[in-house]
Amino acid sequence: MKVAIYPGSFDPITSGHLNIIRRAANIFDKLIVCVMVNSGKYPLFTQQERVDMIRRVVKDLPNVEV
């Protein structure tokens, strides 16, 4: 099984992020999107809000885990 991890702050998730997620989901058996905290930035959304947003936009991709 080929597994990939896509780390980032995703604050907020953009269409560019989603494009990478969709392409990676086609290449790998499983893609883990890891929502990180960047202490050098002042986030617009909380970490949980970002996780929830990403889960909503990737709900049609069964091999993507957030």
Side-chain angles (χ1 to χ4, degrees), residues 10-59:
F10 305 105
D11 188 39
I13 189 165
T14 66
S15 57
H17 292 129
L18 187 54
N19 180 280
I20 291 169
I21 290 169
R22 289 188 181 283
R23 288 188 294 135
N26 286 326
I27 296 169
F28 297 97
D29 298 315
K30 182 176 184 178
L31 174 65
I32 300 168
V33 178
C34 185
V35 180
M36 307 294 290
V37 174
N38 183 338
S39 60
K41 293 183 178 180
Y42 299 99
L44 182 62
F45 298 100
T46 68
Q47 188 174 21
Q48 188 58 53
E49 288 173 324
R50 290 179 275 154
V51 167
D52 293 341
M53 279 189 269
I54 297 168
R55 283 184 177 150
R56 278 194 299 268
V57 297
V58 302
K59 66 183 176 212

